[in-house]
Amino acid sequence: MAWNSPLLMALLLPFALVREPEVRVLVEEAAALRVSPAEGRLVLQASNGRSLGAVAGGLTLRVEGNEIAGLPAGPISELWISPEPPNDSLWLQQRRYRGRLLVRLEKGRLQAINRLGIESYLPSVVGAEMPPQWPLEALRVQSVAARSYALRQLRPEAPYDLKATVSSQVYRGLETETDSTRQAVNSTRSLVLTYANRVIDAVFHSSSGGYTENSGEVWPRQLPYLKSVADYDQGSPVFRWTKPLDELSLLNSFREIGGVNSIQPLQTTSTGRLTKVLVRGPEGELRLGAGELRARLGLRSTFVKFEQAPPAPAPLEALGDWLGLPPAPRLLAIGRGYGHGVGMSQWGAYGMAQQGQEFSHILRHYYSGTRLEPYSVADWPNSPPAP
């Protein structure tokens, strides 16, 4: 069934009118925060709902003992800040956000947590995670994956559900909203991916390098919908890449063994990604997981092998310092893809959209055996976890 068919639109219309679930996103953590109205005034409330009035100008909040200072009414332990209706946004530091803010103390610093409806949150995520000029079907894929991922992260017992960084999914407020990302979100409103009637953990990454990965070969648990599939990311600028590693950088990364002479695979996944390696250096050897290797060397992915770099010509090596040339590499990291390789590949979604594939088909390709269906607000945030 085509996405824009009258029958499908009629089926989804009731869900488009339902109030959506809310998400709580940690957007800033600092010793001081500046909050200003986009228009009109800021409405202030204590955590118990007591009104603290409204201010027309901005506020500079800071830590004072165990309280938040910088308010007309005096210090307070927690503070809600909302844009005065009918305005729907406010400024925090250098970014503008929809919804309202909870400011709280955590270990001597101020945390700003943005609370808003998920459908208002997603246009920014889609624009931050994917170029907004990409085909609409790819943006729709990202919308559904990001919505599913966010709803899976709801944690009522915690102070927030998501971070605004790659540790969750990137969110930059109105800065990364565009007409195309709003269209992608609105045209997939309420749609999530489910498996066995439960929302899935719809993880995604930039580019797999040809094949996505089985979740159980990268992480502790194999999920039935996160299986290795062929990718369509050949147009990715990081489909193949090379990173030279010079002697000084290798020494800085592996001081405990005096640098690196060689890096050998001990264990790989079925697609060829490293999982364990042996690093040999002048002063010993080290066995470690591929994730730690990637972090130490700043690699784009663990889909990588290492080769000895060819020696530089003697005259050029002698003149290198005098000419200001970079140091000659000792090893070459030759890799493919960017990210953990599990779930949806963003460059693969782009490639499939370029081929004319609809967003629903692309999602089914990357998330095996899943269904596309509207969420029910009654299920959140108390829905049981996905299998």
Side-chain angles (χ1 to χ4, degrees), residues 40-92:
R41 301 185 301 173
L42 297 175
V43 178
L44 310 178
Q45 283 184 307
S47 57
N48 62 3
R50 178 171 60 90
S51 174
L52 301 175
V55 294
L59 296 169
T60 299
L61 305 174
R62 63 186 187 280
V63 179
E64 191 173 276
N66 293 320
E67 293 185 303
I68 302 165
L71 295 163
I76 195 170
S77 59
E78 283 191 354
L79 172 69
W80 281 101
I81 307 175
S82 306
E84 186 176 45
N87 303 312
D88 69 343
S89 64
L90 49 74
W91 286 94
L92 171 65

Side-chain angles (χ1 to χ4, degrees), residues 84-364:
E84 186 176 45
N87 303 312
D88 69 343
S89 64
L90 49 74
W91 286 94
L92 171 65
Q93 308 289 65
Q94 302 301 312
R95 286 185 174 147
R96 187 177 169 188
Y97 295 95
R98 299 189 188 280
R100 54 184 180 146
L101 294 177
L102 171 65
V103 181
R104 63 187 296 271
L105 282 170
E106 180 67 25
K107 298 180 180 177
R109 291 170 68 81
L110 296 174
Q111 287 185 337
I113 298 164
N114 186 198
R115 182 163 185 162
L116 72 169
I118 192 167
E119 305 298 336
S120 298
Y121 159 76
L122 287 171
S124 171
V125 174
V126 174
E129 288 284 358
M130 215 176 241
Q133 68 272 21
W134 274 14
L136 182 59
E137 293 305 298
L139 299 178
R140 284 170 167 161
V141 168
Q142 184 66 69
S143 299
V144 175
R147 184 183 291 110
S148 305
Y149 178 86
L151 288 177
R152 176 69 190 274
Q153 307 308 307
L154 297 188
R155 299 289 185 268
E157 71 284 358
Y160 57 85
D161 306 309
L162 300 144
K163 294 184 178 181
T165 66
V166 292
S167 60
S168 295
Q169 50 191 8
V170 184
Y171 169 64
R172 296 181 182 143
L174 271 73
E175 175 185 332
T176 49
E177 279 192 25
T178 67
D179 289 342
S180 62
T181 66
R182 284 188 287 269
Q183 181 183 358
V185 171
N186 290 339
S187 63
T188 61
R189 184 183 174 91
S190 85
L191 292 178
V192 292
L193 290 163
T194 64
Y195 186 93
N197 297 318
R198 297 173 180 175
V199 72
I200 72 164
D201 190 6
V203 293
F204 50 87
H205 61 281
S206 175
S207 171
S208 77
Y211 285 90
T212 68
E213 192 57 82
N214 292 306
S215 64
E217 296 193 75
V218 177
W219 299 325
R221 191 176 180 192
Q222 177 60 52
L223 294 173
Y225 48 83
L226 294 178
K227 297 177 180 178
S228 177
V229 297
D231 201 1
Y232 295 86
D233 63 332
Q234 289 77 12
S236 166
V238 289
F239 181 73
R240 290 189 176 88
W241 51 267
T242 300
K243 181 174 184 175
L245 301 167
D246 63 74
E247 192 165 357
L248 179 59
S249 69
L250 290 169
L251 175 61
N252 289 335
S253 298
F254 290 94
R255 288 194 173 276
E256 68 266 62
I257 55 173
V260 177
N261 293 331
S262 66
I263 302 175
Q264 299 173 353
L266 293 177
Q267 184 177 320
T268 63
T269 68
S270 55
T271 65
R273 286 175 177 79
L274 297 175
T275 54
K276 293 181 181 178
V277 296
L278 174 65
V279 183
R280 286 198 169 99
E283 300 173 11
E285 60 183 40
L286 188 64
R287 288 172 169 80
L288 72 163
E292 184 179 346
L293 177 73
R294 181 186 174 194
R296 289 197 187 204
L297 296 179
L299 303 174
R300 292 185 173 102
S301 74
T302 59
F303 203 164
V304 62
K305 63 181 180 179
F306 298 90
E307 295 182 358
Q308 295 292 327
L316 187 60
E317 186 175 9
L319 290 172
D321 290 341
W322 183 73
L323 293 173
L325 298 174
R330 183 180 187 87
L331 293 177
L332 292 177
I334 302 170
R336 295 169 68 169
Y338 196 138
H340 49 65
V342 181
M344 186 262 290
S345 157
Q346 292 165 317
W347 275 97
Y350 170 83
M352 294 182 74
Q354 288 286 75
Q355 295 173 9
Q357 300 289 346
E358 292 187 352
F359 79 98
S360 56
H361 176 81
I362 300 171
L363 288 165
R364 285 195 301 271

